């Protein structure tokens, strides 16, 4: 009787162990199946993202080619602007030389203008009356009178 009782208790213990092991096995298989499903989903996502990456890579390659072309155009423009810059520098030197020449001419003309203004200031009413008394003055007198009119014209406008 004790042997049967011992056998029953051992059998019950073995059944519990087997039930626990079967439960662990079933949960392990379920976890493996779940992990397998997640791996499959991740592989699908990976394939989709690889397609997107390839598209973006192709777009990037096109962009790099476009940037290379634009850089070539910019480099050509820079070279062209260097030539323009050199031409502008040459023209600037010419203008400065011409300006210096004009300043020298102006310095030479200022004393003559000052003398003409002094001569003009020396005219009085009696001299103008004498000028009016000429019926038909000589060409030199007309030229001098015209010069005086131009020099005294208001606003630098030449009268008719």
């Amino acid at each position: 009787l004790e042997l049967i009782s011992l056998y029953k208790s051992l059998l019950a213990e073995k059944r519990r162990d087997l039930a626990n092991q079967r439960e662990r096995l079933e949960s392990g298989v379920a976890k493996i199946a779940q992990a397998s499903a997640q791996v499959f989903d991740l592989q699908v996502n990976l394939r989709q993202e690889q397609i997107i990456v390839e598209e973006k890579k192709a777009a990037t390659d096109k962009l790099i080619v476009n940037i290379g072309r634009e850089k070539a155009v910019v480099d050509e423009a820079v070279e062209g602007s260097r030539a323009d810059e050199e031409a502008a520098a040459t023209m600037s030197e010419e203008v400065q030389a011409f300006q210096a020449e004009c300043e020298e001419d102006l310095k030479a003309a200022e004393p003559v203008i000052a003398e003409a203004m002094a001569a003009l200031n020396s005219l009085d009413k009696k001299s103008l009356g004498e000028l009016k008394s000429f019926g038909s003055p000589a060409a030199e007198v007309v030229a001098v009178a015209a010069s005086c009119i131009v020099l005294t014209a208001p606003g630098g406008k030449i009268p008719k």
Side-chain angles (χ1 to χ4, degrees), residues 59-134:
T60 303
D61 290 341
K62 288 179 184 177
L63 183 62
I64 288 172
V65 169
N66 285 341
I67 289 173
R69 283 190 220 135
E70 290 176 5
K71 186 178 184 305
V73 169
V74 168
D75 289 343
E76 290 175 13
V78 166
E79 290 300 320
S81 67
R82 284 187 184 142
D84 291 345
E85 184 179 341
E86 291 171 3
T90 304
M91 187 180 289
S92 174
E93 290 172 3
E94 292 173 3
V95 167
Q96 288 176 351
F98 183 69
Q99 182 181 3
E101 183 181 322
C102 288
E103 286 176 1
E104 289 174 12
D105 290 345
L106 180 63
K107 286 180 183 176
E110 283 178 348
V112 174
I113 293 173
E115 288 176 19
M117 291 300 282
L120 187 61
N121 288 337
S122 69
L123 290 177
D124 57 356
K125 193 170 188 173
K126 180 180 170 191
S127 300
L128 290 176
E130 183 180 340
L131 185 61
K132 285 184 183 179
S133 69
F134 292 135

